Amino acid sequence: MAFPRRKAAGAWPYWALAFLFVVTMATAACEFASPGQPSGAADRSRWGTPAVFTPAHATAGDAIKSFFDSRPDTVAQPFDFSHQIHLSKGAVCTDCHTGVEQGPRAGLPNVNTCMICHSQIATDRPLIQQLTKMQEQGLDLNWNRVYDYQPQAHVRFNHAPHIRAKVACSTCHGNQAEQTVARRAVNMTMSFCVNCHKEKQASNDCLTCHY
Amino acid sequence: MAYRWGMAVDLDKCTGCEACVTACHAENNIPTVGSQQAARGRAMHWIRVERYYEGNFPDVRVKFRPVLCQQCDNAPCEAVCPTYAAHQNEDGLNAQVYNRCIGTRYCANACSYNVRFFNFFNPEWVKPLNLQLNPDVSIREVGVMEKCTFCVQRIKAAKITAKAEDRGLVDGVLQPACAQACPTTALIFGDLNDPNSRVARLSHSPRGSKLLEDLGAEPKITYLDKQPWHEPDTY
């Protein structure tokens, strides 16, 4: 007597399989985005936290943008500052980015830093007069960051040891003498960091940067 | 020479005040999850103080044991990680790389000491607590595992300063938050490779033992205990 044959997989139409797959993946995605939630939940989870597409990206759009690394190289700044002019007059990076030799952050100059020189120099220019007015009113420049890391990159960077290791500012920030307002001249991917660390025989342990 | 970070915990000194737990939360941006989720086992404490009661009433004594990541040499958590997010670094730390972690939670299941914690939620801090976050420590997002790092941000900072000043690290100056906060100095942190460091000497003490030593994970944390503690002449 022959055993009853099990139905072959071909008995499931392909569209049904595809549909099942999509439903399963969508459910899994929802579960991952907000664990313990019924699927198809609202934008915010039970705990009031924003929904996520993946842990690193809030939405699918963010993930795609990040994958193709499409973000503008220029960042709008509140003040029309020119690196080119300052460097051509003999100023050096550390004059304004004073923290760079001491600690993790190079620091973005505030109005008072500008006025150290500009209370005397080029006081007739409209931009400088604007600065003077800002200082009198107690306002400050809120610069926008040009180089930054996604918080999800978990990268900790410290400027000081790099300066001590004689890494030129231009290695990571491009030739500022050619730039007016700073733009992202160098794309700081992980391989950019790792290659330089290899060359200089610096530590390439994960905990060097990620913690 | 490479460092090998370790710790000695003097149980006879520990008063169970939990200052280490508070300090750890503050230093490492560890979120709280609320009572409901804590009841479901989702609370995160990189260091906890376990209580053990010994003796019969009225002669009862309570014994405290701070438990943090044991920084095992032969770590069970590392072997099971499919993405090498959990790995041993050159200083003997059990590193957890958040970027690599895909949240399988295998490591938490493999860990014999229950010191690995999964982020079930994106952390949020009620205002104004968001202002006290440590900028030197990243904030872990939902879906990644986290654990005690021996305050690697402090180790890094100390190493960088030492290199800048062209000197070695001084034993006892570099401390993780828990050791720094301990009012009775029950937690002693240091370099096990330096035979003269306090922690290296204490880990060879006859009072010393390792937690769940027979499992063979070879922890780098030594628990010091008067043995046997409950003999009448000891108190």
Side-chain angles (χ1 to χ4, degrees), chain B residues 66-131:
Chain B
V67 179
L68 61 162
C69 174
Q70 305 288 308
Q71 309 285 351
C72 310
D73 278 343
N74 186 16
C77 54
E78 289 165 359
V80 294
C81 182
T83 57
Y84 301 104
H87 69 278
Q88 190 108 184
N89 90 336
E90 52 204 14
D91 291 353
L93 293 176
N94 293 127
Q96 177 71 14
V97 184
Y98 310 121
N99 316 45
R100 279 185 176 175
C101 181
I102 55 167
T104 61
R105 291 184 264 164
Y106 293 164
C107 55
N109 291 326
C111 176
S112 325
Y113 305 101
N114 207 1
V115 288
R116 290 182 152 268
F117 304 95
F118 186 67
N119 281 277
F120 281 91
F121 324 105
N122 259 330
E124 281 199 353
W125 281 268
V126 189
K127 280 180 186 170
L129 289 180
N130 58 334
L131 299 175

Coordinates of all heavy atoms in Angstrom, one line a residue, chain B residues 66-131:
Chain B
P66 N 28.1 43.3 45.5 CA 27.9 44.1 44.2 C 28.3 43.2 43.0 O 29.4 42.6 43.0 CB 28.9 45.3 44.4 CG 29.4 45.2 45.7 CD 29.2 43.8 46.2
V67 N 27.3 43.1 42.1 CA 27.6 42.3 40.9 C 27.6 43.2 39.7 O 26.6 43.9 39.4 CB 26.6 41.2 40.8 CG1 26.9 40.3 39.5 CG2 26.6 40.3 42.0
L68 N 28.7 43.2 39.0 CA 28.8 43.9 37.7 C 29.4 43.0 36.7 O 29.7 41.8 37.0 CB 29.6 45.2 37.9 CG 31.1 45.0 38.3 CD1 31.8 46.3 37.9 CD2 31.2 44.8 39.8
C69 N 29.6 43.4 35.5 CA 30.2 42.6 34.5 C 31.5 42.1 35.0 O 32.3 42.9 35.4 CB 30.4 43.3 33.1 SG 31.3 42.3 31.9
Q70 N 31.7 40.8 34.9 CA 32.9 40.2 35.5 C 34.1 40.3 34.5 O 35.2 39.8 34.9 CB 32.7 38.7 35.9 CG 31.5 38.5 36.8 CD 31.7 39.1 38.2 OE1 32.7 38.7 38.8 NE2 30.9 39.9 38.7
Q71 N 33.9 40.8 33.4 CA 35.0 41.0 32.4 C 35.8 39.7 32.2 O 37.0 39.7 32.4 CB 35.9 42.2 32.8 CG 35.2 43.5 33.2 CD 34.7 44.2 31.9 OE1 35.0 43.9 30.8 NE2 33.8 45.2 32.2
C72 N 35.1 38.7 31.9 CA 35.7 37.3 31.9 C 36.8 37.2 30.8 O 36.6 37.8 29.7 CB 34.6 36.3 31.5 SG 33.2 36.4 32.6
D73 N 37.8 36.5 31.1 CA 38.8 36.2 30.1 C 38.3 35.2 29.1 O 38.7 35.3 27.9 CB 40.1 35.6 30.8 CG 41.0 36.7 31.4 OD1 40.8 37.8 31.0 OD2 41.8 36.3 32.3
N74 N 37.5 34.3 29.6 CA 36.9 33.3 28.7 C 35.4 33.5 28.6 O 34.6 32.7 29.1 CB 37.3 31.9 29.3 CG 36.9 30.8 28.4 OD1 36.6 31.0 27.2 ND2 36.8 29.6 29.0
A75 N 35.0 34.6 28.0 CA 33.7 35.1 28.2 C 32.7 34.3 27.4 O 32.8 34.2 26.2 CB 33.6 36.6 27.8
P76 N 31.6 33.8 28.0 CA 30.6 33.0 27.3 C 29.8 33.9 26.3 O 29.3 33.5 25.3 CB 29.7 32.4 28.3 CG 30.1 33.0 29.6 CD 31.4 33.8 29.5
C77 N 29.7 35.2 26.7 CA 28.9 36.1 25.9 C 29.5 36.3 24.5 O 28.9 36.6 23.5 CB 28.7 37.4 26.6 SG 30.2 38.2 27.1
E78 N 30.9 36.3 24.5 CA 31.6 36.7 23.2 C 31.5 35.6 22.2 O 31.3 35.8 21.0 CB 33.0 37.0 23.5 CG 33.2 38.2 24.3 CD 34.6 38.4 24.9 OE1 35.4 37.4 24.7 OE2 34.8 39.4 25.5
A79 N 31.5 34.3 22.7 CA 31.5 33.2 21.7 C 30.2 33.1 21.0 O 30.2 32.6 19.8 CB 31.8 31.9 22.5
V80 N 29.1 33.6 21.5 CA 27.8 33.4 20.9 C 27.4 34.5 20.0 O 26.4 34.4 19.3 CB 26.7 33.1 22.0 CG1 27.0 31.8 22.7 CG2 26.6 34.2 23.0
C81 N 28.1 35.6 20.1 CA 27.7 36.8 19.3 C 27.9 36.6 17.8 O 29.0 36.4 17.4 CB 28.4 38.1 19.8 SG 27.8 39.5 18.9
P82 N 26.8 36.7 17.0 CA 27.0 36.4 15.6 C 27.6 37.6 14.8 O 28.1 37.4 13.7 CB 25.5 36.2 15.1 CG 24.7 37.0 16.1 CD 25.4 36.9 17.4
T83 N 27.7 38.8 15.5 CA 28.2 39.9 14.7 C 29.5 40.4 15.4 O 30.0 41.5 15.0 CB 27.2 41.1 14.7 OG1 26.9 41.4 16.1 CG2 26.0 40.7 14.0
Y84 N 30.1 39.7 16.3 CA 31.3 40.2 17.0 C 31.1 41.5 17.7 O 32.0 42.3 17.8 CB 32.5 40.3 16.1 CG 32.8 38.9 15.5 CD1 32.5 38.7 14.1 CD2 33.5 37.9 16.2 CE1 32.8 37.5 13.6 CE2 33.7 36.7 15.6 CZ 33.4 36.5 14.3 OH 33.7 35.3 13.8
A85 N 29.8 41.8 18.1 CA 29.6 43.1 18.8 C 30.2 42.9 20.2 O 30.7 43.9 20.8 CB 28.1 43.3 18.9
A86 N 30.1 41.7 20.7 CA 30.7 41.4 22.0 C 32.1 40.8 21.7 O 32.2 39.7 21.1 CB 29.9 40.5 22.9
H87 N 33.1 41.5 22.2 CA 34.5 40.9 21.9 C 35.4 41.4 23.0 O 35.1 42.3 23.7 CB 35.0 41.3 20.5 CG 35.3 42.7 20.4 ND1 34.3 43.7 20.2 CD2 36.5 43.4 20.5 CE1 34.9 44.9 20.1 NE2 36.2 44.7 20.4
Q88 N 36.6 40.7 23.0 CA 37.6 41.1 24.0 C 38.5 42.1 23.4 O 39.0 41.8 22.3 CB 38.4 39.8 24.4 CG 39.3 40.0 25.6 CD 38.7 39.3 26.8 OE1 39.3 39.4 27.9 NE2 37.6 38.6 26.7
N89 N 38.8 43.2 24.0 CA 39.7 44.1 23.4 C 41.1 43.9 24.0 O 41.3 43.0 24.8 CB 39.2 45.6 23.5 CG 39.7 46.3 24.8 OD1 40.0 45.6 25.8 ND2 39.7 47.6 24.8
E90 N 42.1 44.7 23.5 CA 43.5 44.5 23.8 C 43.8 44.7 25.3 O 44.8 44.2 25.8 CB 44.4 45.3 23.0 CG 44.0 46.8 23.0 CD 44.5 47.6 21.8 OE1 44.8 46.9 20.8 OE2 44.4 48.8 21.8
D91 N 42.9 45.4 26.0 CA 43.1 45.6 27.4 C 42.4 44.6 28.3 O 42.2 44.7 29.5 CB 42.7 47.0 27.9 CG 43.6 48.1 27.3 OD1 44.6 47.7 26.7 OD2 43.2 49.3 27.5
G92 N 41.8 43.6 27.6 CA 41.1 42.6 28.4 C 39.7 43.0 28.7 O 39.0 42.3 29.6
L93 N 39.2 44.1 28.2 CA 37.8 44.4 28.5 C 36.9 43.7 27.6 O 37.2 43.4 26.4 CB 37.6 45.9 28.2 CG 38.3 46.9 29.1 CD1 38.0 48.3 28.7 CD2 37.8 46.8 30.6
N94 N 35.7 43.3 28.1 CA 34.7 42.7 27.3 C 33.9 43.9 26.6 O 33.1 44.5 27.2 CB 33.7 41.9 28.1 CG 34.4 40.6 28.7 OD1 34.3 40.4 29.9 ND2 35.0 39.9 27.8
A95 N 34.3 44.2 25.4 CA 33.7 45.3 24.8 C 32.4 45.0 24.2 O 32.2 43.9 23.7 CB 34.7 45.8 23.7
Q96 N 31.5 46.0 24.2 CA 30.2 45.8 23.5 C 30.1 47.0 22.5 O 30.1 48.1 22.9 CB 29.1 45.9 24.5 CG 27.7 45.8 23.9 CD 27.4 44.4 23.3 OE1 28.0 43.4 23.7 NE2 26.3 44.3 22.5
V97 N 30.1 46.6 21.2 CA 30.0 47.6 20.2 C 28.6 47.8 19.8 O 28.0 46.9 19.1 CB 30.9 47.3 19.0 CG1 30.9 48.4 18.0 CG2 32.3 47.0 19.5
Y98 N 28.0 48.9 20.1 CA 26.6 49.1 19.9 C 26.2 49.1 18.4 O 25.1 48.6 18.1 CB 26.1 50.4 20.6 CG 26.5 50.5 22.0 CD1 27.3 51.6 22.4 CD2 26.2 49.6 22.9 CE1 27.7 51.7 23.7 CE2 26.6 49.7 24.2 CZ 27.3 50.8 24.6 OH 27.7 50.9 25.9
N99 N 27.1 49.6 17.6 CA 26.8 49.7 16.2 C 26.6 48.3 15.6 O 25.9 48.1 14.6 CB 27.9 50.3 15.4 CG 28.5 51.5 16.0 OD1 28.7 51.5 17.2 ND2 28.7 52.6 15.3
R100 N 27.4 47.4 16.1 CA 27.4 46.0 15.5 C 26.2 45.2 16.0 O 25.8 44.2 15.4 CB 28.7 45.3 15.9 CG 29.8 45.7 15.0 CD 31.0 44.8 15.3 NE 32.1 45.1 14.4 CZ 33.3 44.5 14.6 NH1 33.5 43.7 15.6 NH2 34.2 44.8 13.7
C101 N 25.7 45.6 17.2 CA 24.7 44.7 17.9 C 23.4 44.7 17.1 O 22.9 45.8 16.7 CB 24.5 45.2 19.3 SG 23.3 44.3 20.2
I102 N 22.9 43.5 16.8 CA 21.7 43.4 16.1 C 20.5 42.9 17.0 O 19.4 42.7 16.6 CB 21.8 42.5 14.8 CG1 22.3 41.2 15.2 CG2 22.6 43.2 13.8 CD1 22.2 40.1 14.1
G103 N 20.9 42.8 18.3 CA 19.8 42.5 19.2 C 19.3 41.1 19.3 O 18.2 40.8 19.5
T104 N 20.2 40.1 19.0 CA 19.8 38.7 19.1 C 19.6 38.3 20.6 O 18.8 37.4 20.8 CB 20.8 37.8 18.5 OG1 22.0 37.9 19.2 CG2 21.1 38.1 17.1
R105 N 20.3 39.0 21.5 CA 20.2 38.7 22.9 C 20.8 37.3 23.3 O 20.5 36.8 24.3 CB 18.8 38.8 23.4 CG 18.2 40.2 23.4 CD 16.9 40.3 24.0 NE 15.8 40.2 23.0 CZ 14.6 39.9 23.3 NH1 14.2 39.7 24.5 NH2 13.7 39.9 22.3
Y106 N 21.6 36.8 22.4 CA 22.2 35.5 22.7 C 23.2 35.7 23.9 O 23.3 34.9 24.8 CB 23.1 35.0 21.5 CG 22.3 34.6 20.3 CD1 22.9 34.4 19.1 CD2 20.9 34.3 20.4 CE1 22.2 34.0 18.0 CE2 20.2 33.9 19.3 CZ 20.9 33.8 18.1 OH 20.2 33.4 17.0
C107 N 23.9 36.9 23.9 CA 24.9 37.1 24.9 C 24.3 37.2 26.3 O 24.9 36.6 27.2 CB 25.7 38.4 24.6 SG 24.6 39.8 24.4
A108 N 23.1 37.8 26.4 CA 22.5 37.9 27.7 C 22.1 36.5 28.2 O 22.1 36.2 29.4 CB 21.2 38.8 27.6
N109 N 21.7 35.6 27.2 CA 21.3 34.3 27.6 C 22.6 33.5 28.0 O 22.5 32.6 28.9 CB 20.6 33.6 26.5 CG 19.2 34.2 26.3 OD1 18.6 34.6 27.2 ND2 18.8 34.2 25.0
A110 N 23.7 33.8 27.3 CA 24.9 33.0 27.6 C 25.6 33.5 28.9 O 26.3 32.7 29.6 CB 25.9 33.1 26.5
C111 N 25.4 34.7 29.3 CA 26.1 35.3 30.4 C 25.6 34.6 31.7 O 24.4 34.5 32.0 CB 25.8 36.8 30.5 SG 26.5 37.5 32.0
S112 N 26.6 34.1 32.5 CA 26.3 33.4 33.7 C 25.9 34.3 34.9 O 25.5 33.9 35.9 CB 27.4 32.5 34.1 OG 28.1 32.0 33.0
Y113 N 26.3 35.6 34.7 CA 26.1 36.5 35.8 C 25.0 37.5 35.7 O 24.7 38.3 36.5 CB 27.5 37.3 35.9 CG 28.6 36.4 36.0 CD1 29.5 36.1 35.0 CD2 28.9 35.8 37.2 CE1 30.5 35.3 35.1 CE2 30.0 34.9 37.4 CZ 30.8 34.7 36.3 OH 31.8 33.8 36.4
N114 N 24.2 37.4 34.6 CA 23.1 38.2 34.3 C 23.4 39.7 34.4 O 22.8 40.5 35.1 CB 22.0 37.9 35.4 CG 20.6 38.1 34.9 OD1 20.5 38.6 33.8 ND2 19.6 37.9 35.7
V115 N 24.4 40.1 33.7 CA 24.8 41.5 33.8 C 24.8 42.2 32.4 O 25.3 43.2 32.2 CB 26.3 41.6 34.3 CG1 26.3 41.3 35.8 CG2 27.2 40.8 33.6
R116 N 24.1 41.5 31.5 CA 23.9 42.2 30.2 C 22.4 42.6 30.0 O 21.6 41.8 30.4 CB 24.3 41.2 29.0 CG 25.8 41.0 29.0 CD 26.1 40.0 27.9 NE 27.5 40.3 27.4 CZ 27.8 41.2 26.5 NH1 26.8 41.8 25.8 NH2 29.0 41.4 26.1
F117 N 22.2 43.7 29.4 CA 20.9 44.3 29.4 C 20.5 44.7 28.0 O 21.3 45.3 27.3 CB 20.8 45.5 30.4 CG 21.2 45.0 31.8 CD1 22.5 45.2 32.3 CD2 20.3 44.4 32.6 CE1 22.8 44.8 33.5 CE2 20.7 43.9 33.8 CZ 21.9 44.1 34.3
F118 N 19.3 44.4 27.7 CA 18.7 44.7 26.4 C 17.9 46.0 26.4 O 17.1 46.2 27.4 CB 17.9 43.6 25.9 CG 17.4 43.7 24.5 CD1 18.4 43.7 23.4 CD2 16.1 43.9 24.2 CE1 17.9 43.8 22.1 CE2 15.7 44.0 22.9 CZ 16.6 44.0 21.8
N119 N 18.1 46.8 25.5 CA 17.3 48.1 25.4 C 15.9 47.7 24.7 O 15.9 47.6 23.5 CB 18.0 49.1 24.6 CG 19.0 49.8 25.4 OD1 18.7 50.8 26.1 ND2 20.2 49.4 25.3
F120 N 14.9 47.6 25.5 CA 13.6 47.2 25.0 C 12.9 48.5 24.4 O 12.0 48.4 23.6 CB 12.7 46.6 26.0 CG 13.0 45.2 26.2 CD1 13.9 44.7 27.2 CD2 12.4 44.2 25.5 CE1 14.2 43.4 27.4 CE2 12.7 42.9 25.7 CZ 13.6 42.5 26.6
F121 N 13.4 49.7 24.8 CA 12.8 50.9 24.4 C 13.9 51.9 24.0 O 15.0 51.8 24.5 CB 11.9 51.5 25.5 CG 11.2 50.5 26.3 CD1 11.7 50.2 27.6 CD2 10.2 49.8 25.8 CE1 11.0 49.2 28.3 CE2 9.5 48.9 26.5 CZ 9.9 48.6 27.8
N122 N 13.5 52.9 23.3 CA 14.4 54.1 23.1 C 14.4 54.8 24.4 O 13.3 55.1 25.0 CB 13.9 55.0 22.0 CG 14.7 54.7 20.7 OD1 15.9 54.4 20.8 ND2 14.1 54.9 19.6
P123 N 15.5 55.1 25.0 CA 15.6 55.8 26.3 C 15.0 57.2 26.2 O 15.2 57.9 25.2 CB 17.0 55.7 26.7 CG 17.8 55.7 25.4 CD 16.9 55.0 24.4
E124 N 14.4 57.6 27.3 CA 13.9 59.0 27.4 C 14.1 59.4 28.8 O 14.0 58.6 29.7 CB 12.5 59.1 27.0 CG 12.3 59.2 25.5 CD 10.9 59.7 25.1 OE1 10.1 60.0 26.0 OE2 10.7 59.9 23.9
W125 N 14.5 60.7 29.0 CA 14.7 61.2 30.3 C 13.8 62.3 30.6 O 13.6 63.2 29.7 CB 16.2 61.7 30.5 CG 17.1 60.6 30.8 CD1 17.5 60.0 32.0 CD2 17.8 59.8 29.8 NE1 18.4 59.0 31.8 CE2 18.6 58.8 30.5 CE3 17.8 59.8 28.4 CZ2 19.4 57.9 29.8 CZ3 18.6 58.9 27.7 CH2 19.4 57.9 28.5
V126 N 13.1 62.2 31.7 CA 12.1 63.3 32.1 C 12.9 64.5 32.3 O 13.9 64.5 33.0 CB 11.4 62.8 33.3 CG1 10.2 63.8 33.6 CG2 10.9 61.4 33.2
K127 N 12.4 65.7 31.8 CA 13.1 66.9 32.0 C 13.1 67.2 33.5 O 12.1 67.0 34.2 CB 12.4 68.1 31.2 CG 12.8 68.1 29.8 CD 12.1 69.2 29.0 CE 12.5 69.0 27.6 NZ 11.7 69.9 26.7
P128 N 14.1 67.8 34.1 CA 15.4 68.2 33.5 C 16.5 67.2 33.6 O 17.6 67.5 33.5 CB 15.7 69.4 34.4 CG 15.3 69.0 35.8 CD 14.0 68.1 35.6
L129 N 16.1 65.9 33.7 CA 17.1 64.9 33.9 C 18.0 64.7 32.6 O 19.1 64.2 32.6 CB 16.5 63.5 34.2 CG 16.0 63.4 35.6 CD1 15.4 62.0 35.8 CD2 17.0 63.7 36.7
N130 N 17.4 65.2 31.5 CA 18.1 65.1 30.2 C 19.3 66.0 30.2 O 20.3 65.8 29.4 CB 17.2 65.5 29.0 CG 16.6 66.8 29.2 OD1 16.5 67.3 30.3 ND2 16.3 67.5 28.1
L131 N 19.4 67.0 31.1 CA 20.5 67.9 31.2 C 21.7 67.3 31.9 O 22.8 67.8 31.9 CB 20.1 69.2 31.8 CG 19.0 69.9 31.1 CD1 18.6 71.2 31.9 CD2 19.4 70.4 29.7

